[in-house]
């Protein structure tokens, strides 16, 4: 009985959390004139999605977002892995380097937006995906370094000791033992970095033009002076959530795997 | 030849903190040397310095006549069995064993042969394709051993490899390790804080405290002739009884006065210890040298029983007299009530005497 009650409570909580998302999804599937009606599904249509791609160039935005988010993680990951490892094992840079890494996360992004814009305009990097990728890589680097440092610290040093007495160099021990063991953590960190970049709005808006607009920028631009085009927004949001849902699934898997070095002890 | 020579090695952590301080030790080819000592005394640090995993801030280490002090771990040809086993979690048992040979470019068929042999010796055949996560503690421990054996190194270094096992398995592995050592005959340094392991496994034991060596010798020799009170107390459970004492020499007889134990020393001890008369001393007697039956040379004394532990094969009792608590290892049929007064006999033929101030043992011939 108590179990049933607590399950009921949990189900209620879940409904409260996902209801807005479900409603957005519902809105994306009904004709614009039904958007604000309370009928759950008056009629189902894919016109909103079609319009989004045909009239708003959403495919381009989606591709931009994917390119920038994936590239920024791919560029950052090796650097973050090596920096995080150095922090974790050799205390490189001491407390100061760690503090600086963390402190960079505290800075409000707006404070960096204008200087970055000036700098990038001078370098001709505004209005380009390269510029955006560089910014996202820079944002991801301290974040991923911090996360990976935690993962590396969780790997017992004896593992490397074993590899090195077994005949590996320091680098060999890192490459053949530490990296594979940390792989789930690295994947999880990569997914987090991807999400961070995927959702980023401020820099994408300031540094980008219409060709480089990412999904968040495109969605914002649907709020025109003629009102919010709610059915298009709903369709766009539904699509924008898709990679996040896949990412969340991955993270769950990797975090569980990554945090159980059960075989070491 | 694969002897290890430690020449005044130290590990200085700065600010006057030493993990290991001026340790010199020679371990012969094929010898099984046990490093024994309490937690934090520098056993692991010493072992890791030999392996090259810990920097040697001063002194020299040589293995097989080769100065390895500044060499990387992989250039020293040692195999380490870690306390945590440190198995590679992403590799199967077979790959774990193969890793070191692969690094050293051992021919593939030779690799397979050695893995097969080690798996047979250690009973690992059924598990070769499992990941370490799917093994029990004892099996992991065997894999860690196997990984070391297949390398065929000059030297084995083992850091408390049995400490994660339950009592029964530990006893079995102790014997298995000794058998293995006999068969392979490799120079082995074995770290433990368990005096039973030290006594039963070592050709010699090296007792450490605070980063320094206190005594090195064959187990029974160290047991019989501890150099100071620390060694005397560390190498047994219950620890050796220590009681403040004085000797008085008069008319050719030497009389001991150690708490409740007062009486003349046997002739041999009297001759030996007479020069120490009048000094502040500590009288040491092992729990098994407090007897329940009289014996020539044993000094009777009475005491009150304050605790009794019936272990099965024998009983441990704690008695108190004149403010001194003494532990005795007695026959299993000797079962006094708590609070009862009993007469016990201190076997002075096996007594030890230490200087009260320094804790050093007074010279003893036998
Ligand atoms: N990085 C360090 N900085 C300062 N002191 C250290 C450091 N590493 C170890 N020590 C000190 O060195 C001493 C020896 O440590 P070690 O690990 O060798 O002890 P141990 O004899 O193996 O103990 P245990 O039985 O607990 O494993 C300890 O007192 C420890 O506090
Ligand atoms: Mg240790």
């Amino acid at each position: 009985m108590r179990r049933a009650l607590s399950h009921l409570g949990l189900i209620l909580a879940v409904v409260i959390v996902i209801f807005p998302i479900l409603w957005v999804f519902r809105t994306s599937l009904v004709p614009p004139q039904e958007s604000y009606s309370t009928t759950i599904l008056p009629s189902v249509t894919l016109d909103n999605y079609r319009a989004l791609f045909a009239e708003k160039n959403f495919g381009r935005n989606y591709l931009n977002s994917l390119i920038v988010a994936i590239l920024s993680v791919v560029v950052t990951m090796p650097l973050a892995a090596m920096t995080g490892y150095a922090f974790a094992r050799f205390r490189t840079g001491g407390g100061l380097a760690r503090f600086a890494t963390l402190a960079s996360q505290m800075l409000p992004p707006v404070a960096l937006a204008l200087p970055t814009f000036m700098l990038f305009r001078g370098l001709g990097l505004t209005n380009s995906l390269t510029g955006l990728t560089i910014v996202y890589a820079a944002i991801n680097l301290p974040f991923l370094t911090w996360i990976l440092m935690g993962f590396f610290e969780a790997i017992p040093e004896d593992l490397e000791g074993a590899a090195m007495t077994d005949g590996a160099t320091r680098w060999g021990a890192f490459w053949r033992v530490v990296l594979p063991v940390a792989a789930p953590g690295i994947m999880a960190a990569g997914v987090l970095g991807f999400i961070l970049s995927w959702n980023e709005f401020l820099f994408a808006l300031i540094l980008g033009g219409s060709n480089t607009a990412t999904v968040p920028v495109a969605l914002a631009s649907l709020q025109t002076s003629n009102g919010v085009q709610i059915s298009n927004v709903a369709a766009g949001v539904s699509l924008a959530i898709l990679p996040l849902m896949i990412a969340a699934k991955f993270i769950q898997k990797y975090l569980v795997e990554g945090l159980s070095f059960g075989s070491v002890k | 030849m694969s002897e290890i020579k430690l020449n005044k090695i130290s590990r200085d952590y700065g600010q006057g903190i030493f993990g290991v301080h001026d340790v010199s030790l020679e371990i012969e080819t094929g010898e099984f040397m046990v490093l024994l000592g309490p937690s934090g005394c520098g056993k692991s640090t010493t072992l890791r310095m030999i392996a090259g995993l810990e920097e040697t801030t001063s002194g020299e280490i040589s293995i097989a006549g080769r100065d390895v002090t500044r060499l990387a771990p992989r250039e020293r040809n040692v195999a380490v069995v870690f306390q945590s086993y440190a198995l590679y979690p992403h590799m199967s048992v077979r790959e774990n064993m193969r890793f070191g040979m692969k690094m050293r470019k051992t021919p593939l068929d030779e690799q397979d042969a050695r893995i097969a042999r080690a798996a047979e010796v250690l009973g690992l055949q059924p598990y070769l394709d499992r990941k370490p996560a799917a093994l029990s503690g004892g099996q992991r421990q065997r894999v860690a051993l196997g990984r070391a054996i297949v390398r065929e190194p000059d030297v084995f270094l083992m850091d408390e490899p049995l400490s994660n096992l339950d009592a029964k398995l530990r006893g079995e592995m102790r014997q298995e390790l000794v058998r293995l050592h006999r068969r392979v005959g490799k120079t082995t340094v074995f770290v433990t804080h368990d005096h039973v392991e030290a006594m039963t496994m070592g050709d010699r034991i090296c007792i450490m405290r605070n980063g320094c060596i206190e005594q090195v010798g064959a187990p029974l020799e160290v047991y019989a002739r501890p150099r100071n009170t620390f060694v005397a107390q560390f190498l047994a459970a219950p620890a050796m009884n220590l009681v403040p004492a004085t000797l008085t020499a008069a008319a050719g007889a030497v009389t001991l006065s150690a708490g409740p134990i007062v009486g003349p020393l046997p002739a041999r001890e009297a001759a030996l210890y007479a020069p120490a008369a009048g000094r502040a001393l500590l009288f040491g007697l092992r729990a098994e040298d407090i007897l329940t039956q009289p014996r020539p040379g044993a000094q009777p004394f009475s005491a009150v029983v304050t605790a009794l532990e019936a272990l099965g094969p024998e009983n441990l009792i704690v008695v108190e007299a004149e403010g001194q608590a003494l532990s005795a290892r007695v026959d299993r049929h000797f079962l006094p009530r708590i609070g009862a007064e009993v007469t016990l006999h201190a076997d002075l033929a096996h007594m030890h005497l230490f200087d009260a101030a320094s804790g050093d043992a007074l010279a003893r011939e036998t």
Side-chain angles (χ1 to χ4, degrees):
Chain A
M1 189 58 205
R2 279 186 63 167
R3 269 184 75 92
L5 269 182
S6 63
H7 270 104
L8 213 66
L10 288 173
I11 289 170
L12 200 68
V14 168
V15 167
I16 291 173
V17 170
I18 66 170
F19 180 75
I21 299 172
L22 287 179
W23 198 255
V24 166
F25 187 56
R26 167 262 175 205
T27 307
S28 76
L29 289 176
V30 303
Q33 56 276 19
E34 299 284 352
S35 294
Y36 294 105
S37 81
T38 48
T39 331
I40 290 187
L41 276 179
S43 61
V44 174
T45 168
L46 287 176
D47 282 348
N48 298 327
Y49 289 91
R50 215 168 287 135
L52 201 59
F53 283 96
E55 295 160 25
K56 311 286 184 197
N57 203 13
F58 193 71
R60 175 79 229 173
N61 305 136
Y62 212 81
L63 196 64
N64 286 346
S65 271
L66 277 178
I67 290 173
V68 174
I70 290 174
L71 267 187
S72 69
V73 169
V74 169
V75 168
T76 311
M77 194 52 79
L79 298 172
M82 288 189 277
T83 317
Y85 181 73
F87 280 4
R89 271 298 177 271
F90 310 118
R91 321 227 127 242
T92 306
L96 188 67
R98 285 180 180 222
F99 174 75
T101 306
L102 196 61
S104 70
Q105 296 297 291
M106 311 282 179
L107 216 59
V110 187
L112 293 172
L114 269 183
T116 310
F117 178 73
M118 305 292 281
L119 199 67
F120 275 32
R121 199 178 49 179
L123 294 169
L125 284 171
T126 50
N127 231 329
S128 81
L129 288 181
T130 316
L132 211 50
T133 304
I134 292 174
V135 170
Y136 287 177
I139 293 176
N140 274 337
L141 185 57
F143 175 65
L144 295 187
T145 299
W146 194 263
I147 292 188
L148 290 178
M149 180 181 78
F151 274 106
F152 288 133
E153 274 177 347
I155 297 178
E157 233 177 314
D158 281 352
L159 267 186
E160 288 149 67
M164 287 193 291
T165 45
D166 259 357
T169 57
R170 196 20 98 193
W171 175 255
F174 177 69
W175 186 251
R176 289 168 183 274
V177 174
V178 176
L179 273 190
V181 172
I186 291 173
M187 294 301 274
V191 173
L192 284 175
F194 175 86
I195 294 176
L196 208 64
S197 305
W198 181 262
N199 288 335
E200 207 286 331
F201 175 65
L202 186 65
F203 283 95
L205 181 70
I206 292 177
L207 297 179
S210 57
N211 280 335
T212 62
T214 57
V215 169
V217 175
L219 290 180
S221 73
L222 292 176
Q223 306 175 22
T224 62
S225 48
N226 301 333
V228 180
Q229 301 165 14
I230 192 67
S231 9
N232 287 342
V233 171
V237 168
S238 301
L239 290 174
I241 289 175
L242 209 63
L244 299 183
M245 282 178 15
I246 298 170
K249 190 72 208 151
F250 268 101
I251 285 217
Q252 201 182 7
K253 172 173 178 284
Y254 288 132
L255 279 187
V256 169
E257 258 180 42
L259 295 178
S260 58
F261 302 112
S263 49
V264 178
K265 249 217 135 109
Chain B
M1 289 321 253
S2 54
E3 77 284 357
I4 305 172
K5 287 204 180 87
L6 310 181
N7 182 21
K8 292 200 165 174
I9 59 167
S10 295
R11 173 64 171 106
D12 184 354
Y13 287 115
Q15 282 133 29
I17 300 172
F18 282 87
V20 168
H21 195 67
D22 262 357
V23 162
S24 295
L25 183 65
E26 297 202 359
I27 303 162
E28 288 157 29
T29 301
E31 190 173 27
F32 196 107
M33 173 64 85
V34 174
L35 299 184
L36 177 69
S39 190
C41 71
K43 310 178 295 284
S44 297
T45 308
T46 306
L47 196 83
R48 295 171 60 83
M49 285 164 81
I50 299 174
L53 297 171
E54 187 89 51
E55 187 193 346
T56 303
T57 42
S58 69
E60 295 94 47
I61 299 173
S62 75
I63 298 174
R66 190 167 61 115
D67 184 350
V68 300
T69 319
R70 302 279 159 242
L71 294 188
R74 73 197 146 87
E75 298 164 311
R76 301 189 180 200
N77 201 19
V78 301
V80 182
V81 179
F82 292 88
Q83 177 171 359
S84 59
Y85 308 151
L87 301 179
Y88 310 126
H90 58 299
M91 299 183 195
S92 68
V93 170
R94 190 192 306 277
E95 291 166 332
N96 261 281
M97 296 208 255
R98 197 188 291 286
F99 185 78
M101 296 188 284
K102 206 159 85 185
M103 290 289 110
R104 276 155 215 281
K105 307 207 162 55
T106 310
L108 205 61
D109 47 346
E110 174 72 14
Q111 290 181 15
D112 289 330
R114 287 195 205 169
I115 291 174
R117 218 176 314 139
E120 195 196 322
V121 171
L122 296 167
L124 283 172
Q125 287 119 326
Y127 314 114
L128 278 177
D129 293 312
R130 284 203 205 165
K131 293 271 174 68
L135 297 177
S136 74
Q139 291 161 348
R140 285 179 203 173
Q141 206 265 339
R142 283 156 207 258
V143 177
L145 268 178
R147 188 172 68 176
I149 293 170
V150 293
R151 287 256 321 274
E152 302 192 351
D154 286 340
V155 167
F156 286 110
L157 305 172
M158 307 190 187
D159 193 352
E160 308 201 28
L162 307 184
S163 62
N164 285 334
L165 306 180
D166 64 49
K168 179 168 172 288
L169 202 53
R170 191 185 306 195
E172 288 170 14
M173 285 310 296
R174 212 157 62 201
Q175 292 176 10
E176 201 161 314
L177 266 179
V178 170
R179 250 199 315 274
L180 203 72
H181 177 253
R182 288 226 183 84
R183 171 161 15 174
V184 185
K186 284 279 165 66
T187 312
T188 303
V189 183
F190 182 96
V191 164
T192 181
H193 58 247
D194 181 318
H195 62 93
V196 178
E197 278 174 22
M199 292 295 296
T200 54
M201 298 175 76
D203 290 326
R204 283 194 298 160
I205 54 186
C206 165
I207 298 184
M208 298 184 66
R209 172 168 62 162
N210 292 339
C212 300
I213 292 182
E214 293 286 331
Q215 187 167 2
V216 183
L220 288 178
E221 178 192 313
V222 177
Y223 189 80
R225 279 192 293 278
R227 188 178 286 166
N228 54 37
T229 51
F230 174 79
V231 175
Q233 295 213 288
F234 197 78
L235 204 56
M240 181 187 279
N241 295 299
L242 290 178
V243 181
T246 50
L247 294 179
T248 36
V254 180
T255 309
L256 167 78
S257 170
I261 303 164
V262 178
L265 293 190
R268 198 181 50 156
E269 276 69 28
L272 190 65
Y273 292 127
R279 278 166 60 186
L281 302 170
L282 283 172
F283 166 79
L285 198 62
R286 295 207 181 272
E288 61 269 29
D289 294 323
I290 295 182
L291 314 169
T292 54
Q293 301 297 325
R295 177 186 293 182
Q299 179 63 42
F301 66 99
S302 52
V304 174
V305 178
T306 57
L308 181 142
E309 287 178 44
L311 300 180
E314 63 191 7
N315 297 337
L316 290 181
I317 60 174
V318 179
V319 298
E320 209 174 295
E322 300 192 13
Q324 299 292 335
L326 299 168
S327 312
R329 194 188 291 277
V330 297
D331 189 88
R332 67 192 156 112
H333 300 300
F334 187 76
L335 288 162
R337 274 180 304 104
I338 305 289
E341 179 153 328
V342 292
T343 299
L344 297 171
H345 306 265
D347 189 356
L348 300 186
H350 293 107
M351 64 180 271
H352 301 259
L353 278 180
F354 305 92
D355 184 84
S358 67
D360 289 341
L362 302 194
R364 205 190 144 100
E365 302 304 311
T366 48

